[in-house]
Every structure is written in structure tokens, then in C-alpha cells.
């Protein structure tokens, strides 16, 4: 049995050492049929630490959390919470499951009281804590709202309030922000950072690797084993590589050329260990950036492609994750898509168009004068916080909802978009409903093949492809409702493209999907775009939004900004400074005083500060504030805006003008 040993003594980012809060030793969980979900892991987490557990679907993360929460017994090994067995420490442990586990027919406050009573919290303490945490999460306005009427982000905040009212010493969070918009996610993580600074120990599983960057340490889990543990910076350094941002006129062809060369040539494979396509660039991971540049440009030049190395940077945590899983023999691969209906002849013409699109529900205007177009062969990302109007816009654009005013165009048709001819030329994967849970996977695929008019001669090939893409070969008889969320998303995506649509609408297609599967999704989405399909996608994961060719940012029903990923970053102006300091939480709180809070964000031991001053003035003013407060600055450098930075800036500037999403 393989194990991973972790030294019990832990040093936190502030340099202080502390006794363990969570001690996991030789943990094993075996289910009936000798299925090993957890195969012998050792983990030690310190008081006040935020520890991230990341891994693909089926890695064993949820099983580990259930044992630590005391709701499941281990087959062997031990889990101690502050020296007590996990089952005995349940009243000291808060646990958020993947799915919303509160009562939708109770109000916000009734849910808090119910959980407090279960945890035997005295009513005077429950009242004080509940009100305090609601105010902390900006939810004190919603005490009388039914939980079922809350947005995704607000539900997760309520779940966290309910977990905190018993004043736990340890908080276990199993993918708490899946489906939560970026504004709410940042607020959620700001809260976690404050709680950890006050001494609460937090262990969190997340499929979002930009969130893992906010943890003090991260463990990479695969097939029941923890393969690697360290701070995000240590994990990136362990890859011993750099990331090259490459621009070229034909991204799809360039990606194919480099991947093919790496597969066939040991020399190329040595210098280029990963290639990932984004909406306006390629990211190439090279152990030696100088040699990597030469090999990359020579390889592309031999294929008749020109290229430009735009910038060099450290690898992302996702690059580390993918490299670790590849070394362990895991890779998401599927047979070639059995497509026979190419739409390349339509490339460049408008597939989806809207002019002054408006939708009112009574006195409420959900969408206000939105104008956009998506061309064949293009991937357009529609981004916005919960309640911004994205889903309403998509429903109008694909003919599911009539606009109040405005003109639309879809696959060359105007006016009514509900004809059978139009329906069979579009694909739609909705945010919440895509498959019938009480049907088997095979029955679902047969149903959608019939609805979309897939020719009988193509159906078996398409079904085999969907099952291979989903990693579920030979399991057509499985009931769909029994699938974990990530696998269900893969099947739903496959079902939506069996008929090779000209236009594809994807509403948060990779919500809850692990990074390897997400890459497979986007390889397929790019393949469809290369074949001429027009694709409109929404996502809350802004690293993923980099995959789109163009982006539109919606705020309170209006399109507030639009452009390529690189273009919208350039539109922001100002500068982003990254500070590494000895007291990151104190520094964050200090810099937010008297300033717009969104301009300061905390990522573990790193602090991002956005300034509209010139670079030197912004740097000097920030340094002066930190030094005056006794905070030691270890390093400072200018960094490139992320799409999350852009998103938050667009939303907050719109709020300043009085535009507020409907969820508020």
C-alpha cells in the first residue's frame, strides 16, 4: 500500500509554527467490491491554516471529508481533530457538503435557528452569532427570504453561516463555490481569510485552481493518494518550468503542430511539456524557456506558421496539476469526434445577432437594450454576476423566450426562432436541466438523438463517442441521476452536440468539472469552432473565460464591456501590483480602509493591489502605508490583470453608477 508522509510540524506563511488541528494518519476507506476510495494518506493541518485539497473526479476528496466530519467510518487509519477522534469531535467541526443541504421552504433565519438548535447552541449566543455572520456576509437584509429563493452565491453564504453558528474549531468545505459568480466567490474567500486569521482551521476541496492559489498549502489528490503537498509557490517551483505566452494567426493549427511534434520527437517533447489553447493565445510550458522559444518557433516556422512570444511568466497551478496527473498516468482522451457536417463555409457570417434586446417581467427589466453578434467559427463568452441577465439573454437568443422589444437573428432566420428547422440547427446545454435523471444514460442519448434528428446511421457512432468522452464506456445502462455532477456534465455536453449544431449555447457547461475534464471540454469546444460552429458560452470560472475569442460583460441587464481577453484587460488602465508581506491579512485590511475594497485582494500570502495612479506613485503610496503600519514587504512587482480583476472592476464601477443585479 502506497502512502504519502507529511511532516507533522507546520510553518504557516507568517513564519509561525503551531500544533496540528487536523491529524490524518494512514487513512484508508474501502467500499464493497474492494473499491479503494482512499488508499493510505497522511495529512497534518495547522490551527488557522487554509488547506486546499484538489484532484479530479473520483480522487477520494469527498470520502476523505466525510470521514473527517465524522459522518463516515474509515476502514483503517485515524483522523484526529485537536486530539479527539473525528466522530467525537463532530460538535467542534463545521461541514459544508457539495450540494445545498438546508431547507428551501424555511427562511434564512429559520434555517439558522434550526441548525443552531441541532448543535445545541444557546439561543442568546445563536442570536448574536447569527446576526454577526449575516452582517459579515452582507446578508442581514434577507433574514425573511425563503432559502429556496436565494441565488447560488447567497445559498453558499447561508450554508457557511449555519456551519459557523456553533463556533467550530475546524471547517470542512467540499466544493463550496461551484456555480457561484466571481463577485460572490471573492467575498466568500475574503471571509475565509478573516476566519483563518482569527484561528479557524479550514480544509477546502475545489475544482477551481485560481481558488487553490488562495490557500496556504495545497494537496494534489489522485486515485485515493495525495501525490504532492506544498504552498502554491512551492508547487509551481517544483515543476521547474516557465510559461510562454504565444500569439499566432492560427491558434488551432499551431496547437496541433506543437502537440504532434511533441508526440513524435523526443527533442521537442523535452523542451515543450504542455500546450494549452486560449481564445487569443497559446500557453506553452517549457523547462528551459530559452531553448523552448527556439524549438517552438522553429517547429511552427517549418509548418508555415508565424509566431510571437508575447511574454514569459511562472506556470499556473493548473499546469502543475496536469503535469502531476500525467506523471501518474491519467489523461482525459477521447476518440476523434465523428463529425460529418462541416460548417466552415459559413465562417465569418453572423450566426447569433441581437439589436437593442430588452426583456421585462412586469415592472422588472431583466435585460436592457443588449446588442451583440456571434459569428460562425467564433466562441463568445457572456459573463456576469448572478442576476445580471445572462440566462434570460440566452433564452431569448435561442428562441425559448420572446423579447419585450428588440430584433434577433439566429442561423440566418429573423422573427420567430421556434421553427423545427431552426431548432435542429442549434444545440443547448442549460445551467440546471439537461438530462432526465430517472432515465439511463443510453435512454437519454436516444431521446436527444431523436429530438435533434440525428440520422439513424450516425447514432451508434455518436453514442460511443459520448461515452468515451465521458469516461463511461460500457455503462449506457447506468441511471443518469446516480452520476456525480462532473460526469453528468460530460454526458449532457455530449448529448447537446450529437447532431453537430451550427450554433451551440452552453450555460455554465463545466460547473463542478475537474481541471482535466475541463481541458477535454474545451478541446472539443475549440474543435467545433474550427469546424465553423458558432458558440455562446457562460461561465463563472474566469480562467476558463480566457478560452473565448471575445467576451461580453453583463451588469444589471446591460452589456457593460466587450472585447477579446487581451483587449478587455488593456481597457482597464491603471496598474496591478503584487506584494508579498509578512502580515498579509493585516495588510489587506489596512489598504482597504478608506479605499474601494475591490481594489485589494488576498491570495494566500500574496496581495494584489490595483491603482489608477502612475506606477511609481501607486507603488510608493502603498509601500508607505504598509511600512508605517509595521508590515515588512518581502517583494513587490507589477503583474498582468487577470480576467477576475477585470470582471470585479467592471461590476464594481457599474455598481458605483447605481446598477445593481436582481439578486440584490
Amino acid at each position: 500500500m502506497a502512502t504519502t508522509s507529511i511532516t507533522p510540524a507546520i510553518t504557516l506563511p507568517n513564519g509561525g509554527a503551531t500544533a496540528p488541528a487536523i491529524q490524518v494518519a494512514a487513512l484508508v476507506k474501502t467500499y464493497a467490491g474492494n473499491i479503494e476510495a482512499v488508499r493510505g494518506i497522511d495529512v497534518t493541518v495547522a490551527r488557522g491554516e487554509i488547506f486546499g485539497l484538489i484532484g479530479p473526479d473520483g480522487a477520494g476528496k469527498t470520502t476523505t471529508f466525510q470521514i473527517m466530519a465524522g459522518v463516515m467510518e474509515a476502514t483503517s487509519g485515524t483522523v484526529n481533530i485537536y486530539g479527539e477522534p473525528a466522530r467525537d469531535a463532530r460538535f467542534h467541526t463545521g461541514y459544508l457538503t457539495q450540494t445545498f443541504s438546508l431547507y428551501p421552504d424555511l427562511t434564512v433565519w429559520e434555517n439558522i435557528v434550526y441548525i443552531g438548535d441541532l448543535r445545541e447552541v444557546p439561543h442568546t449566543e445563536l442570536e448574536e452569532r447569527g446576526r454577526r455572520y449575516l452582517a459579515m456576509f452582507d446578508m442581514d437584509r434577507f433574514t425573511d427570504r425563503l432559502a429556496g429563493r436565494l441565488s447560488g452565491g447567497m445559498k453558499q453564504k447561508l450554508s457557511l453561516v449555519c456551519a459557523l453558528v456553533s463556533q467550530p474549531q475546524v471547517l470542512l468545505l467540499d466544493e463550496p463555490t461551484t456555480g457561484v459568480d466571481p463577485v460572490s466567490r471573492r467575498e466568500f474567500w475574503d471571509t475565509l481569510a478573516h476566519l483563518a486569521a482569527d484561528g479557524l482551521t479550514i480544509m477546502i476541496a475545489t475544482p477551481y485552481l485560481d481558488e487553490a492559489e488562495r490557500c496556504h498549502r495545497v494537496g494534489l489528490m489522485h486515485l485515493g493518494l495525495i501525490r504532492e503537498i506544498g504552498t502554491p509557490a512551492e508547487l509551481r517551483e517544483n515543476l521547474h518550468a516557465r510559461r510562454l505566452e504565444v500569439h499566432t494567426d492560427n491558434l488551432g493549427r499551431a496547437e496541433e503542430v506543437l502537440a504532434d511534434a511533441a508526440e513524435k520527437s523526443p527533442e521537442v517533447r523535452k523542451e515543450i511539456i504542455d500546450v494549452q489553447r486560449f481564445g487569443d493565445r497559446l500557453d506553452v510550458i517549457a523547462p528551459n524557456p530559452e531553448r523552448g522559444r527556439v524549438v517552438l518557433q522553429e517547429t511552427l516556422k517549418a509548418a508555415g506558421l508565424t509566431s510571437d512570444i508575447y511574454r514569459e511568466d511562472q506556470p499556473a497551478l493548473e499546469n502543475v496539476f496536469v503535469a502531476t496527473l500525467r506523471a501518474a498516468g491519467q489523461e482525459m482522451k477521447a476518440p476523434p469526434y465523428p463529425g460529418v457536417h462541416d460548417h466552415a463555409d459559413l465562417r465569418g457570417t453572423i450566426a447569433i445577432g441581437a439589436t437593442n434586446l430588452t426583456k421585462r417581467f412586469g415592472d422588472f427589466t431583466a435585460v436592457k437594450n443588449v446588442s451583440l453578434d456571434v459569428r460562425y467559427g467564433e466562441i463568445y463568452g457572456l459573463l456576469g454576476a448572478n442576476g445580471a441577465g445572462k440566462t434570460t439573454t440566452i433564452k431569448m437568443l435561442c428562441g425559448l423566450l420572446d423579447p419585450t422589444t428588440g430584433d434577433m437573428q439566429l442561423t440566418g432566420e429573423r422573427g420567430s426562432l421556434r421553427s423545427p428547422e431552426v431548432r435542429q440547427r442549434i444545440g443547448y446545454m442549460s445551467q440546471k436541466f439537461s438530462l432526465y435523471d430517472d432515465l439511463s444514460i443510453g435512454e437519454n442519448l436516444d431521446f436527444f438523438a431523436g429530438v435533434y434528428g440525428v440520422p439513424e446511421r450516425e447514432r451508434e457512432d455518436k453514442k460511443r463517442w459520448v461515452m468515451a468522452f465521458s469516461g463511461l464506456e460500457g455503462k449506457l445502462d447506468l441511471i443518469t441521476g446516480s452520476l456525480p455532477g462532473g460526469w453528468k456534465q460530460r454526458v449532457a455536453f455530449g448529448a447537446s452536440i450529437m447532431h453537430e449544431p451550427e450554433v451551440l449555447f452552453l450555460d455554465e457547461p463545466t460547473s463542478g468539472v475537474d481541471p482535466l475534464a475541463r481541458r477535454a471540454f474545451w478541446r472539443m469546444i475549440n474543435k467545433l469552432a474550427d469546424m465553423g460552429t458558432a458558440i455562446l458560452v457562460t461561465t463563472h470560472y474566469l480562467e476558463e473565460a480566457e478560452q473565448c475569442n471575445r467576451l461580453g460583460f453583463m451588469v444589471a441587464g446591460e452589456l457593460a464591456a466587450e472585447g477579446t481577453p487581451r483587449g478587455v484587460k488593456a481597457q482597464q488602465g491603471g496598474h496591478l501590483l503584487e506584494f508579498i508581506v509578512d502580515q498579509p491579512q493585516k495588510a489587506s485590511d489596512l489598504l482597504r480602509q478608506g479605499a474601494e475594497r475591490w481594489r485589494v485582494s488576498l491570495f494566500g500570502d500574496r496581495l494584489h493591489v490595483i491603482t489608477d495612479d502612475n506606477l511609481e506613485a501607486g507603488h510608493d503610496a502603498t509601500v508607505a502605508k504598509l511600512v508605517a503600519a509595521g508590515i515588512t514587504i518581502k517583494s513587490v512587482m507589477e503583474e498582468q490583470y487577470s480576467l477576475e480583476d477585470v470582471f470585479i472592476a467592471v461590476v464594481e464601477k457599474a455598481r458605483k453608477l447605481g446598477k445593481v443585479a436582481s439578486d440584490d
Side-chain angles (χ1 to χ4, degrees):
M1 179 182 297
T3 62
T4 301
S5 296
I6 310 301
T7 304
I10 295 171
T11 301
L12 290 177
N14 62 11
T18 182
I22 302 172
Q23 185 81 53
V24 179
L27 185 65
V28 173
K29 179 62 182 180
T30 304
Y31 293 104
N34 295 320
I35 299 172
E36 290 185 305
V38 181
R39 299 166 54 201
I41 62 173
D42 301 316
V43 180
T44 302
V45 183
R47 179 180 181 274
E49 183 177 17
I50 302 178
F51 186 96
L53 193 61
I54 60 177
D57 295 330
K61 304 185 299 298
T62 296
T63 297
T64 301
F65 273 55
Q66 289 174 338
I67 295 171
M68 287 193 296
V71 299
M72 178 187 289
E73 293 285 355
T75 303
S76 62
T78 60
V79 176
N80 288 321
I81 308 294
Y82 283 103
E84 286 188 290
R87 194 162 184 82
D88 295 339
R90 282 177 294 173
F91 272 71
H92 309 305
T93 304
Y95 177 37
L96 265 69
T97 59
Q98 283 188 21
T99 55
F100 182 64
S101 57
L102 301 179
Y103 291 89
D105 295 331
L106 295 182
T107 67
V108 166
W109 187 250
E110 287 168 344
N111 269 288
I112 293 171
V113 171
Y114 175 74
I115 296 298
D117 287 345
L118 281 181
R119 291 282 190 157
E120 300 179 0
V121 180
H123 276 208
T124 54
E125 294 181 21
L126 177 64
E127 179 80 18
E128 186 276 326
R129 292 176 195 167
R131 302 291 179 189
R132 173 159 49 92
Y133 287 127
L134 285 173
M136 182 185 293
F137 301 151
D138 193 29
M139 285 192 61
D140 46 345
R141 297 168 290 158
F142 304 111
T143 53
D144 295 329
R145 182 177 292 190
L146 293 178
R149 293 186 54 235
L150 298 175
S151 69
M154 292 165 70
K155 284 179 179 176
Q156 292 303 80
K157 290 178 184 178
L158 174 58
S159 295
L160 187 54
V161 170
C162 290
L164 290 171
V165 291
S166 64
Q167 210 81 333
Q169 295 175 301
V170 168
L171 189 59
L172 306 174
L173 308 174
D174 195 359
E175 300 190 6
T177 61
T178 295
V180 176
D181 70 74
V183 174
S184 296
R185 279 209 290 146
R186 180 171 282 192
E187 292 171 349
F188 192 89
W189 275 91
D190 284 346
T191 301
L192 295 187
H194 275 100
L195 293 169
D198 290 338
L200 181 65
T201 301
I202 300 170
M203 195 162 181
I204 182 167
T206 175
Y208 302 120
L209 295 186
D210 61 334
E211 288 192 341
E213 295 275 5
R214 299 175 186 264
C215 299
H216 297 132
R217 289 189 303 144
V218 175
L220 302 182
M221 194 168 186
H222 174 241
L223 295 178
L225 293 172
I226 293 183
R227 304 285 180 174
E228 199 171 357
I229 284 183
T231 67
E234 288 169 347
L235 295 180
R236 287 193 297 268
E237 289 168 7
N238 290 345
L239 189 57
H240 303 295
R242 297 286 286 174
R243 179 167 56 91
L244 304 177
E245 186 175 309
V246 181
H247 296 168
T248 178
D249 290 338
N250 192 331
L251 293 170
R253 175 68 179 143
E255 181 187 35
E256 290 176 3
V257 167
L258 292 174
D260 187 58
E263 185 174 339
K264 293 178 179 177
S265 167
E267 177 61 27
V268 175
R269 187 162 58 249
K270 177 183 175 183
E271 303 300 341
I272 297 176
I273 61 175
D274 191 23
V275 179
Q276 188 175 10
R277 177 177 172 182
F278 290 92
D280 55 5
R281 71 176 198 269
L282 294 179
D283 275 3
V284 176
I285 306 301
N288 185 310
E290 293 305 317
R291 288 205 300 268
R293 285 169 181 263
V294 173
V295 170
L296 184 152
Q297 291 181 319
E298 288 180 348
T299 303
L300 294 180
K301 185 177 180 181
L305 295 168
T306 59
S307 62
D308 171 43
I309 310 296
Y310 180 68
R311 68 195 297 263
E312 178 186 323
D313 204 350
Q314 63 183 356
L317 203 53
E318 179 172 324
N319 301 126
V320 179
F321 181 95
V322 170
T324 300
L325 293 192
R326 283 177 174 167
Q330 179 160 344
E331 178 74 79
M332 279 291 297
K333 290 186 176 179
Y337 180 62
V340 294
H341 307 290
D342 199 300
H343 312 302
D345 58 317
L346 299 170
R347 181 180 296 278
T349 60
I350 294 177
I352 308 168
T355 304
N356 297 324
L357 203 60
T358 296
K359 182 63 182 179
R360 298 187 188 91
F361 296 97
D363 294 333
F364 171 65
T365 304
V367 177
K368 307 171 188 175
N369 297 318
V370 167
S371 297
L372 60 82
D373 60 70
V374 184
R375 298 177 183 273
Y376 287 102
E378 181 179 30
I379 304 171
Y380 186 98
L382 192 61
L383 311 178
N386 290 328
K390 305 184 305 298
T391 299
T392 300
T393 299
I394 287 181
K395 286 181 177 178
M396 287 190 288
L397 291 174
C398 68
L400 291 177
L401 193 63
D402 290 328
T404 305
T405 59
D407 297 318
M408 296 184 299
Q409 175 182 342
L410 182 62
T411 66
E413 300 289 335
R414 293 182 179 273
S416 175
L417 306 180
R418 298 187 178 185
S419 69
E421 293 77 13
V422 170
R423 292 257 182 233
Q424 293 191 351
R425 292 159 65 187
I426 66 173
Y428 179 48
M429 180 179 171
S430 72
Q431 180 180 350
K432 294 180 180 177
F433 168 78
S434 288
L435 300 170
Y436 292 95
D437 281 349
D438 53 351
L439 297 182
S440 70
I441 297 173
E443 289 168 338
N444 266 295
L445 295 181
D446 286 336
F447 172 78
F448 282 99
V451 167
Y452 281 130
V454 178
E456 289 283 352
R457 63 183 180 278
E458 298 177 16
R459 291 189 183 186
E460 290 307 311
D461 279 348
K462 296 287 176 61
K463 286 167 61 177
R464 276 193 294 272
W465 179 85
V466 173
M467 300 307 287
F469 174 80
S470 305
L472 294 168
E473 295 96 328
K475 298 180 180 178
L476 281 167
D477 293 332
L478 275 181
I479 297 300
T480 304
S482 69
L483 295 175
W487 269 289
K488 189 183 292 187
Q489 291 292 89
R490 299 177 208 178
V491 176
F493 174 72
S496 71
I497 64 171
M498 290 175 72
H499 59 303
E500 302 178 48
E502 289 180 23
V503 174
L504 181 60
F505 294 91
L506 301 172
D507 198 359
E508 296 185 33
T510 65
S511 180
V513 173
D514 71 70
L516 273 186
R518 192 180 299 123
R519 277 202 177 192
F521 265 75
W522 279 95
R523 278 197 296 268
M524 192 60 236
I525 291 170
N526 278 308
K527 174 64 176 174
L528 292 169
D530 291 341
M531 294 170 63
T533 303
I535 301 167
L536 191 150
V537 60
T538 72
T539 178
H540 285 323
Y541 183 43
L542 294 181
E543 289 295 306
E544 176 175 82
E546 297 267 10
Q547 305 262 9
C548 300
N549 305 125
R550 283 194 303 134
L551 301 167
F553 293 78
M554 287 193 74
V555 180
E558 299 180 41
L559 201 60
E562 192 177 35
T564 66
R566 203 175 356 154
V568 294
K569 292 174 187 176
Q571 291 170 19
Q572 296 311 300
H575 302 276
L576 188 152
L577 296 170
E578 179 179 277
F579 289 83
I580 297 180
V581 298
D582 65 337
Q583 302 173 72
Q585 188 63 60
K586 180 180 177 181
S588 174
D589 292 341
L590 172 69
L591 295 177
R592 285 178 172 178
Q593 292 174 11
E596 295 170 303
R597 293 179 59 85
W598 62 270
R599 292 182 179 274
V600 181
S601 54
L602 189 59
F603 293 83
D605 63 344
R606 295 174 297 129
L607 199 65
H608 281 188
V609 180
I610 294 175
T611 174
D612 287 337
D613 296 329
N614 66 58
L615 184 59
E616 184 177 357
H619 170 276
D620 292 349
T622 307
V623 167
K625 282 186 181 179
L626 296 175
V627 171
I631 296 169
T632 300
I633 300 171
K634 298 179 180 179
S635 70
V636 56
M637 65 178 67
E638 184 177 17
E639 281 288 348
Q640 188 181 46
Y641 283 103
S642 70
L643 275 184
E644 180 182 304
D645 295 316
V646 174
F647 183 98
I648 300 291
V650 168
V651 171
E652 293 299 335
K653 288 174 182 177
R655 281 183 175 175
K656 201 171 180 180
L657 296 174
K659 299 175 182 178
V660 182
S662 62
D663 280 335
D664 293 339

